[in-house]
Amino acid sequence: MPSIDGKRFLASLHALGECGALEGGGVNRLALTDADKSGRDWAVNRMRELDMDVTIDAIGNIVAVYRGTEELPPVMTGSHIDTVRTGGLYDGNYGVLAGLEVIATLRDRGIRSRRPIAVAVFTNEEGARFQPDMMGSLVYVGDLPLEQALTTQDAEGRTVGEELERIGYRGHEAVGSPRVDHFVELHIEQGPVLHRRGIPVGVVEGVQGISWTEFTFEGVSNHAGTTPMELRSDAGYVAACLTTFAHDLALGYGGRQIATVGSVRLTPNLVNVIPNRAVVTVDLRNTDAQALERAEREVLAFAMQAAQTQKVTCRHRSLARFDPVAFDASVVDLVAREAERLGLNVLRMPSGAGHDAQMLARVCPTGMIFVPSIDGLSHNVREDTAPDDLIQGTQLLLQILLRLANRPS
Amino acid sequence: MPSIDGKRFLASLHALGECGALEGGGVNRLALTDADKSGRDWAVNRMRELDMDVTIDAIGNIVAVYRGTEELPPVMTGSHIDTVRTGGLYDGNYGVLAGLEVIATLRDRGIRSRRPIAVAVFTNEEGARFQPDMMGSLVYVGDLPLEQALTTQDAEGRTVGEELERIGYRGHEAVGSPRVDHFVELHIEQGPVLHRRGIPVGVVEGVQGISWTEFTFEGVSNHAGTTPMELRSDAGYVAACLTTFAHDLALGYGGRQIATVGSVRLTPNLVNVIPNRAVVTVDLRNTDAQALERAEREVLAFAMQAAQTQKVTCRHRSLARFDPVAFDASVVDLVAREAERLGLNVLRMPSGAGHDAQMLARVCPTGMIFVPSIDGLSHNVREDTAPDDLIQGTQLLLQILLRLANRPS
């Protein structure tokens, strides 16, 4: 088996990290911003240096194909390069650049696998600017209509379609092409489990179900000093009650139930005015589909009840909803087997985060590899992974891709 | 007694309301904005039409004096014309324009009182852009150093001094001049009490104590899907706990205790990122100084405790702090007596809101008159008061000012 060039690979992570770099470390490359464009340009340029066939589809997904010896559907790897507002160097970028390092390694040695190997960069995986997250891969597999995705607006009312045009990534390739033979995504864990247990490889068996709901409470704004407590319709208070309820519900469920209120917007948001409007998001996740549905029902019921008690109205809309996903058993086993061949301990685990791989799993046998995140930090400028772990994971990806691409029909 | 011109007076409220008018009603005239400048220009122009001597002091307070027959310290009325972001036509503006209507009425009839009558417009009463609120009157009475007020910054880092310069209201008059003989402020109640009981005049005996504290909680931002609940340092959750605690504390105290969390700012404020930072304000008010101090201690202790439990840091700073104020008994009685002379029922009551009058009360005998707020709405574009109540209140102000200005030494 050929070995990847660890030095070159680590350098590529830092080179891409220059695009949208934040003062003092970290990256802000929100989807379809100028920073995202500069990252895309960097990646496409690298793909062309590797003589890959690069196509951009109508939702801005970038697919680069390294030709095989036969005209067969490609084995695909890849991830995303958009980040949250305060992101790190590895989330998404690691999987994309590891794929390109694999291709560079094969090309250096003139190796061609039987099937082509494709590296994909999917649009707006984070969902930090446009919801839902994993938008590019969701459109790729045909489960989000292209038109609906293109007309999605950000907080300032700009649409995905306009922004794709603006940065020059509204491509002509039909979405969903090429048809994919297998998909394997390499990603940092973004959680503390592997790092705490000192295990270098996570064999990802599936992905937690995800439910994002936005609640909008509307009451009456009024003077904070002259309105008796019992005569208030305080939308901010209801939002706070929902926040604590969701948090405590997750603690109560235990197991893999998680609840996060990450975004709260009060209007007018002044110290001496009772908020007449509160927009709050609840992010619920669980590997257990039934428990996730129960949590959703309880959170909704509480929100309605609390709103009624406080004499405020309650509207809600789903921003994203994905059932738990189980990856293909044969791919999961292959990941474990190849890791053991490399002498790497593995932990079979679910993914707590959503990933493009869960979308590809709907159309082809799919698996994922995790490497440790130091202290579990992610969506954080201090996100980090040990260089050896990054390199070992990329070597493992190379071996898995070659096995899949060279297997007989 | 001369009668004010109700039609002219109501027209003046609507004319001033054009400055910073919001689509669909209401006013946004945050302190020292262009809209505030346009309102100030309108008021100064009106004062000059009435042959008043207009001075602007170093903190931007506007004082217009209608000369008396003797060179004595003036009897002063007035209020403010800055508003919150979503304000109405009456809060503050009513007191200023009623004062000018009184002068217009005296001037029409060639009436000069023994003492001069001054109408003041105090800078930044609302505190919606620069804290503390009541800034202009606080500097006027010498309890906030001019330099400190001028260097106060808004959320964008612009200072009061720069903004006063920019809109042309950084005056040359020394603050605190002229020395004031008596001060009487006419204001809408901004609460529901008078309207609900159908009483046209509130005789204000004093003002609630006010305590504004800003809490900043800092934890660790992290991926919402991969961080087990028990490993989080969620600053937003602590802010929510503090919000519900303060609210429930006020309900528990009962009496005149009020607590409001009007402003919450999360960072990065994204649906799928655990907030690493939450800045939240707590507004506590009570007429009972001891109870107010107890509430402050309990809120602070809870914030520290909750922060520690959630492994987030807690910083806090006071944005404003005023003890309860009792107005001068002789002025309070005069307000009640003159209202009865006009055949108006009165209710003796405290003010739930802070007012410039509570600052002037530190340097001269002071009182306040309230008129009803329909449904108690204030700091709201739907703030309203019945025309008859507005006119009666202004007539009452005229009679009180004449009594005070004409009284023998």
Side-chain angles (χ1 to χ4, degrees), chain A residues 85-296:
Chain A
R85 220 176 289 280
T86 54
L89 285 184
Y90 306 107
D91 181 354
N93 307 303
Y94 175 50
V96 170
L97 295 180
L100 295 180
E101 177 57 35
V102 166
I103 302 303
T105 303
L106 299 180
R107 181 165 164 281
D108 290 346
R109 293 165 178 64
I111 299 172
R112 294 271 167 191
S113 50
R114 179 170 176 239
R115 294 176 181 76
I117 299 177
V119 179
V121 177
F122 293 106
T123 294
N124 182 38
E125 190 273 348
E126 292 291 0
R129 181 181 174 195
F130 298 99
Q131 282 84 41
D133 56 350
M134 296 171 279
M135 181 183 278
S137 46
L138 196 51
V139 173
Y140 191 91
V141 300
D143 287 349
L144 176 64
L146 176 62
E147 251 327 292
Q148 187 182 330
L150 291 173
T151 54
T152 303
Q153 295 188 350
D154 68 6
E156 281 70 49
R158 286 163 306 194
T159 67
V160 167
E162 288 159 19
E163 289 293 274
L164 278 171
E165 284 288 355
R166 189 180 67 77
I167 66 170
Y169 277 88
R170 185 160 178 174
H172 304 298
E173 191 76 10
V175 290
S177 132
R179 186 165 71 74
V180 182
D181 176 79
H182 276 71
F183 185 80
V184 179
E185 182 172 3
L186 173 62
H187 206 283
I188 58 171
E189 178 194 346
Q190 304 181 272
V193 179
L194 291 173
H195 177 242
R196 283 179 189 244
R197 298 182 53 174
I199 297 174
V201 173
V203 176
V204 186
E205 296 180 302
V207 181
Q208 287 184 336
I210 299 180
S211 167
W212 289 2
T213 308
E214 178 188 81
F215 291 88
T216 300
F217 300 107
E218 296 196 279
V220 181
S221 88
N222 213 329
H223 192 291
T226 57
T227 314
M229 300 306 287
E230 60 279 9
L231 296 181
R232 296 177 173 212
S233 300
D234 183 338
Y237 173 64
V238 177
C241 293
L242 180 60
T243 301
T244 59
F245 177 82
H247 183 275
D248 300 346
L249 170 139
L251 287 177
Y253 276 33
R256 298 198 181 278
Q257 181 63 54
I258 286 174
T260 307
V261 172
S263 175
V264 175
R265 291 191 168 75
L266 302 185
T267 307
N269 209 35
L270 297 172
V271 59
N272 61 340
V273 184
I274 297 164
N276 67 311
R277 193 161 193 275
V279 182
V280 55
T281 59
V282 179
D283 175 329
L284 297 170
R285 311 197 190 201
N286 202 322
T287 49
D288 176 334
Q290 283 65 38
L292 181 59
E293 281 166 25
R294 200 171 101 238
E296 287 178 298

